[in-house]
Amino acid sequence: MVLGTAACAMLGGGSALAQTAQTVSNPPELTVVRPQDAGNVQTGAAAQAPAVQRRDALLVRPSPTAREAFLSLTVKYTDAVLYNPATGANDKLRLRTYNDSLVGPTARVLPGETVRIDVNNTLPLDECVNPQGNHNIPNCFNTTNLHGHGLWVSPSGNSDNVLLEIQPGVSFQHEYNIPPDHPAGTFWYHPHRHGSTAIQVGSGMAGALIVMGNRAPTAKANGEIDKTGDIDTILQTANGTAFTERLFVMQQVPYACYDGSGAIKKDKDGHWTCDAGDVGVVNNYALFAPGVWDQSGRATSINGVVQPIVSGVEAGRVERWRFLHAGVRETIGLEVRKLKPSPAPVTAFTRAEMESWVKDNCNGPRVGLFSIARDGLTQAAAVREETIVHEPGYRTDVLAAFPEEGDYCVVDAELDTTSTINAQKEKTSLLAFVQVRGGKPFSGDGTELVRAALLDGAKTLPQDVRGTVENELKDLSLAAFVPHPTITAAEVTGRQDLIFGIDVTSSPARFGVNHQPFEPGRVDRALTLGGVDEWTLTSTTVNGGPIGHPFHIHVNPFQVVRILNPNGVDVTDPKELAKLKPEEREKEIDYALLKGVWKDTLFVKSNYRVEVRTRYRRYIGDFVLHCHILDHEDQGMMQYVRVSLPGSSLSSHAH
């Protein structure tokens, strides 16, 4: 199946911009078969129906414990194309994919469902030799498995068990028993087989896994909120029409074409190039080295398309946008800017030329995006942001509204080097265009418009909670929808220290956690069900540069307590930030709004001290924590974690 084929298009409205681009839509949705729904199959156009209407149809059942959903993923080689902005042409690719799609299809599931996902590995047998004595050498690129990133489900057996290996020619059915109280939100799935994760995710093997919800908050007798509900219940008009929803799966496919001697083909500027008849592949870990992505000239794709056009947007209409960073290691500083009325034509760009074009043409006012959830977990308030930093694995749900008609740029903006994965300046690049046509223009920064939209949606809530929620929404508070109660210091029963590190004096470089590379079967952390830990996270490099690492732990999310910069300032504290000089505050843009926020992935900058708290609830078993720079994880920056019942020995656990 050919994806991402460029087609001639014009940004309308009299614009002089001629852009070779494709209009982007949400990724394809998996066929979800729910036999108890009398043969109801959600696919194609039906699967694209407004979320609230789908929720009503699927969630109202007499027996909520009987819900089942069946999904199917086929892993195979796919012939595809991606637009190359450095040459202005489409490059032919051959990549490992799910279901013949350059971006994995979207799966929508429900709290309380048993979700059965068939993973059919049809990749050919490769020369798979597990390295003896060193499990942290990338290997066996056609062996796979599946991870439900951010899902609060069991890590054992055939559930979210990333210790499984699905070899070529083997099919396996994962079974995720999603609890009835699972938060609704934006999660995702991707391979997690140690030694081949980066190669497979870098090929595009990743997709959104959205948990839908229609649970309204419930009230105590005194009218206060007793149990939080799903933010979905107010992201609709008073008559029940859901906000338009758009999903942006951002991927970075580092494909290369090779000459007869096995060297990557490059142009005079050092950008990777492919000649006529060449087929680009993702086949080794040198493609993920620090700084290589920027030099390669490759471009971030959105839903499998490079530099697409987002159409159908109206001025003054509030929409729900879900952003998912499904790349391996590059930071994205997401901004939306007004495109000037008569921009210079878009042609083939080197990286430097693209940066210059963006600065000269995407130079209008920035559009504020109101973040409502991080990593699928609803925040305590809707917060207006003009730059949203995404590290690998991050997700952000936002409410977007455009003040007037016109064309807009979605940009990966330049960030301070302390905020980037590679601790290097990355050139500003173009991600997409947005066409805004019709609608009702508004003035101001959008706060009043978003507040009014949320209050309108709150009219659909039950009467006993409506007043409380409406009062909170006047300040854009989303307290009634935060999925987990705050962890207080009094709850903490233990402490954990974690250091991500690379020893570059070793040959090859030694990747590890707490100075130890990953060893399968060695239990690095023995935790107790029901315990509450405060974790201190740091990053360091022996005789190397100031490289940070995104921390990700499976099963249980964590809450940010504080983040101290090298000078000991809590950069999540607004009062402390206010004392800093403007240029110093700018360096903390990715941390400034995280006080008390729940996440499952968090960038740990070099020489910063990150403190988070987490509860070990419901699930026992073995799983992992790791750096979400996936080539780091494959090379040993991972630990084996075990949660056991109180009083159990290390040998008494569930596999």
Side-chain angles (χ1 to χ4, degrees):
M1 182 176 182
V2 176
L3 297 174
T5 304
C8 278
M10 287 287 290
L11 291 180
S15 169
L17 176 61
Q19 165 67 13
T20 301
Q22 179 177 339
T23 301
V24 73
S25 59
N26 287 339
E29 301 220 1
L30 281 167
T31 299
V32 182
V33 180
R34 294 181 169 92
Q36 73 279 13
D37 285 336
N40 179 25
V41 176
Q42 296 292 324
T43 184
Q48 298 292 335
V52 167
Q53 295 177 25
R54 250 195 331 271
R55 283 198 303 271
D56 291 345
L58 296 177
L59 276 176
V60 180
R61 299 192 183 101
S63 177
T65 59
R67 300 187 190 123
E68 283 190 304
F70 293 83
L71 313 172
S72 184
L73 293 171
T74 298
V75 183
K76 62 184 299 185
Y77 276 112
T78 294
D79 294 323
V81 296
L82 268 181
Y83 175 69
N84 184 344
T87 63
N90 291 323
D91 288 337
K92 296 179 181 179
L93 311 178
R94 185 163 176 78
L95 302 172
R96 299 169 180 86
T97 69
Y98 288 125
N99 293 14
D100 254 344
S101 179
L102 195 57
V103 56
T106 301
R108 294 180 183 270
V109 301
L110 309 171
E113 276 193 325
T114 296
V115 180
R116 305 185 193 280
I117 305 177
D118 289 316
V119 178
N120 309 302
N121 187 356
T122 68
L123 292 172
L125 289 170
D126 55 3
E127 296 181 3
C128 174
V129 179
N130 272 301
Q132 298 299 313
N134 187 350
H135 301 276
N136 300 310
I137 297 175
N139 63 93
C140 302
F141 297 159
N142 286 357
T143 300
T144 192
N145 61 18
L146 191 71
H147 171 46
H149 184 123
L151 286 186
W152 183 38
V153 296
S154 170
S156 302
N158 60 346
S159 185
D160 190 28
N161 185 350
V162 300
L163 306 177
L164 293 171
E165 293 195 347
I166 305 174
Q167 296 184 6
V170 175
S171 296
F172 181 78
Q173 186 179 86
H174 285 269
E175 182 180 288
Y176 293 166
N177 293 307
I178 300 177
D181 53 346
H182 194 292
T186 306
F187 305 96
W188 63 301
Y189 63 88
H190 62 83
H192 206 298
R193 189 263 173 189
H194 184 61
S196 60
T197 304
I199 284 285
Q200 294 178 7
V201 175
S203 291
M205 288 176 62
L209 198 161
I210 295 174
V211 179
M212 303 181 295
N214 71 346
R215 299 162 296 193
T218 56
K220 293 181 179 179
N222 60 8
E224 295 179 356
I225 299 297
D226 179 43
K227 186 177 181 181
T228 57
D230 299 320
I231 189 70
D232 308 48
T233 57
I234 62 169
L235 300 186
Q236 57 182 318
T237 64
N239 64 11
T241 301
F243 289 179
T244 296
E245 178 182 311
R246 300 180 195 268
L247 173 63
F248 299 83
V249 180
M250 301 178 289
Q251 294 172 292
Q252 294 151 340
V253 181
Y255 64 91
C257 296
Y258 296 87
D259 62 21
S261 64
I264 296 175
K265 290 185 175 182
K266 299 179 181 179
D267 62 19
K268 61 181 177 59
D269 299 302
H271 294 334
W272 298 353
T273 188
C274 296
D275 296 325
D278 287 344
V279 177
V281 294
V282 179
N283 62 351
N284 70 76
Y285 275 62
L287 304 177
F288 303 104
V292 167
W293 174 261
D294 206 42
Q295 180 58 41
S296 72
R298 298 289 181 249
T300 299
S301 61
I302 294 177
N303 299 349
V305 183
V306 170
Q307 295 178 358
I309 296 173
V310 180
S311 62
V313 181
E314 296 180 5
R317 183 179 69 186
V318 178
E319 298 188 349
R320 179 184 192 164
W321 289 13
R322 302 178 189 256
F323 291 102
L324 191 170
H325 189 336
V328 170
R329 65 169 301 135
E330 303 299 322
T331 303
I332 296 173
L334 188 77
E335 292 184 358
V336 180
R337 306 175 184 174
K338 185 73 181 293
L339 180 68
K340 72 180 186 182
S342 299
V346 175
T347 59
F349 284 146
T350 65
R351 272 300 177 98
E353 289 168 343
M354 179 185 292
E355 182 174 49
S356 178
W357 189 93
V358 170
K359 289 182 177 179
D360 290 343
N361 296 277
C362 303
N363 54 11
R366 288 184 291 182
V367 175
L369 303 174
F370 289 77
S371 61
I372 58 173
R374 289 291 206 282
D375 292 355
L377 305 172
T378 303
Q379 301 171 172
V383 181
R384 186 181 185 275
E385 301 184 58
E386 292 186 346
T387 305
I388 304 180
V389 179
H390 285 83
E391 306 291 1
Y394 279 26
R395 289 92 66 210
T396 308
D397 287 33
V398 305
L399 300 180
F402 289 79
E404 60 184 355
E405 280 193 304
D407 298 322
Y408 295 78
C409 308
V410 183
V411 169
D412 180 359
E414 178 184 319
L415 299 170
D416 185 84
T417 56
T418 63
S419 298
T420 66
I421 286 289
N422 300 310
Q424 298 172 347
K425 180 181 177 180
E426 298 174 357
K427 294 182 176 66
T428 300
S429 59
L430 177 66
L431 296 178
F433 294 104
V434 182
Q435 285 182 325
V436 180
R437 301 290 183 267
K440 298 179 180 179
F442 65 89
S443 58
D445 66 2
T447 299
E448 293 303 321
L449 183 74
V450 168
R451 179 186 290 114
L454 293 174
L455 287 169
D456 192 45
K459 294 176 182 178
T460 63
L461 295 176
Q463 188 65 44
D464 60 347
V465 296
R466 188 182 308 166
T468 300
V469 173
E470 287 175 338
N471 284 333
E472 293 173 345
L473 288 174
K474 291 175 182 177
D475 295 323
L476 296 186
S477 169
L478 303 176
F481 305 97
V482 177
H484 303 292
T486 291
I487 302 176
T488 64
E491 289 182 67
V492 174
T493 58
R495 300 190 180 277
Q496 300 287 326
D497 293 306
L498 180 143
I499 304 171
F500 283 131
I502 307 173
D503 184 353
V504 297
T505 64
S506 173
S507 183
R510 193 166 182 252
F511 296 78
V513 181
N514 289 9
H515 313 294
Q516 292 291 324
F518 176 66
E519 179 65 32
R522 183 189 69 208
V523 178
D524 296 296
R525 296 182 192 270
L527 310 174
T528 302
L529 189 69
V532 179
D533 278 347
E534 183 167 290
W535 292 63
T536 299
L537 314 173
T538 54
S539 294
T540 185
T541 303
V542 177
N543 292 339
I547 298 174
H549 304 274
F551 168 78
H552 174 54
I553 189 168
H554 294 199
V555 185
N556 297 295
F558 51 82
Q559 187 176 31
V560 177
V561 177
R562 63 176 185 167
I563 300 175
L564 304 180
N565 72 7
N567 296 321
V569 176
D570 180 3
V571 294
T572 66
D573 186 334
K575 294 181 180 178
E576 293 298 310
L577 281 171
K579 299 176 184 177
L580 300 178
K581 297 177 181 179
E583 62 271 19
E584 293 174 331
R585 285 198 299 272
E586 187 67 22
K587 294 181 179 180
E588 314 302 348
I589 189 171
D590 45 342
Y591 285 158
L593 301 173
L594 294 186
K595 175 77 74 176
V597 170
W598 286 88
K599 287 179 64 64
D600 59 52
T601 308
L602 180 60
F603 186 45
V604 182
K605 295 182 183 181
S606 178
N607 298 319
Y608 279 62
R609 177 186 172 97
V610 175
E611 297 177 6
V612 302
R613 294 172 184 157
T614 187
R615 302 180 177 99
Y616 313 121
R617 300 174 56 201
R618 186 171 290 164
Y619 299 111
I620 60 173
D622 296 349
F623 53 96
V624 295
L625 63 82
H626 58 91
C627 170
H628 220 280
I629 302 174
L630 294 178
D631 55 302
H632 287 187
E633 177 257 297
D634 280 332
Q635 296 176 86
M637 198 171 284
M638 185 162 74
Q639 280 192 331
Y640 200 103
V641 180
R642 176 172 296 165
V643 175
S644 301
L645 291 171
S648 298
S649 66
L650 287 181
S651 61
S652 175
H653 64 281
H655 280 290

